Amino acid sequence: MARESSVTVSRESTEGFNALYERLQPSLWRYVNRLVGDADVADDVVQESFVRLLSRPDLTGDAARLWLFTVAMNLVRDRGRTATRRARLLAAVPATQEVEPGPAEAVERDEQVRAVRAALQKLPERDRQLLLMREEGFRYQEIAEAVGVAPGSVGTLIARAVRRFTEHYRTTE
């Protein structure tokens, strides 16, 4: 005798689910809507609750009603936690509004970029590499390996490169 797949829903269970849905959905929706105060969220929570009920064909009647309301409450609680977490994360990282610079600011920025590039080009290759790697957040050990120097000398080499860069930058301004 072949067993039916658990994915296959029998006609009797579909009719039972439909009757359960018709009977419990309005009450569950009102309950959730009162909890969250948003009809769209209530729709989503109620739908998710009934979708989860589909995987529980053993529940009927009052047991299904209690289970549905419990699941809906848990879903609302989860949404609240998610919203709180999202708000906390957004508050930790302030929103940056990218404002198009005016023509004067754009010209000034372009001049600064040109001056920095000109000063960098006047530096020896190793100094340029040290400064650019430091700016990209490389650790001294990584910089030492890339440049081919002892890790203990990286700090001194960077300080010298910064001093040379500053001298060249001042002359190009």
Side-chain angles (χ1 to χ4, degrees), residues 115 118-120 122-123 127 131 159-173:
L120 280 172
K122 292 179 184 176
L123 293 176
D127 286 355
L131 292 177
R160 290 178 186 160
V162 167
R163 190 175 58 246
R164 283 191 277 271
F165 171 80
T166 303
E167 290 169 4
H168 290 301
Y169 183 74
R170 287 185 180 149
T171 61
T172 57
E173 275 190 325

Side-chain angles (χ1 to χ4, degrees), residues 8-67:
T8 306
V9 178
S10 70
R11 184 173 179 190
E12 294 82 27
S13 66
T14 302
E15 289 171 358
F17 178 82
N18 289 342
L20 200 58
Y21 179 84
E22 292 297 322
R23 185 169 61 90
L24 297 178
Q25 187 276 340
S27 174
L28 182 61
W29 188 88
R30 282 190 307 274
Y31 172 75
V32 173
N33 189 41
R34 287 179 184 135
L35 281 173
V36 298
D38 184 337
D40 291 333
V41 172
D43 288 340
D44 291 344
V45 169
V46 169
Q47 178 181 354
E48 178 65 23
S49 300
F50 276 101
V51 166
R52 291 182 183 195
L53 180 62
L54 282 172
S55 67
R56 298 290 309 265
D58 57 313
L59 294 174
T60 58
D62 288 339
R65 180 175 184 264
L66 177 60
W67 187 88

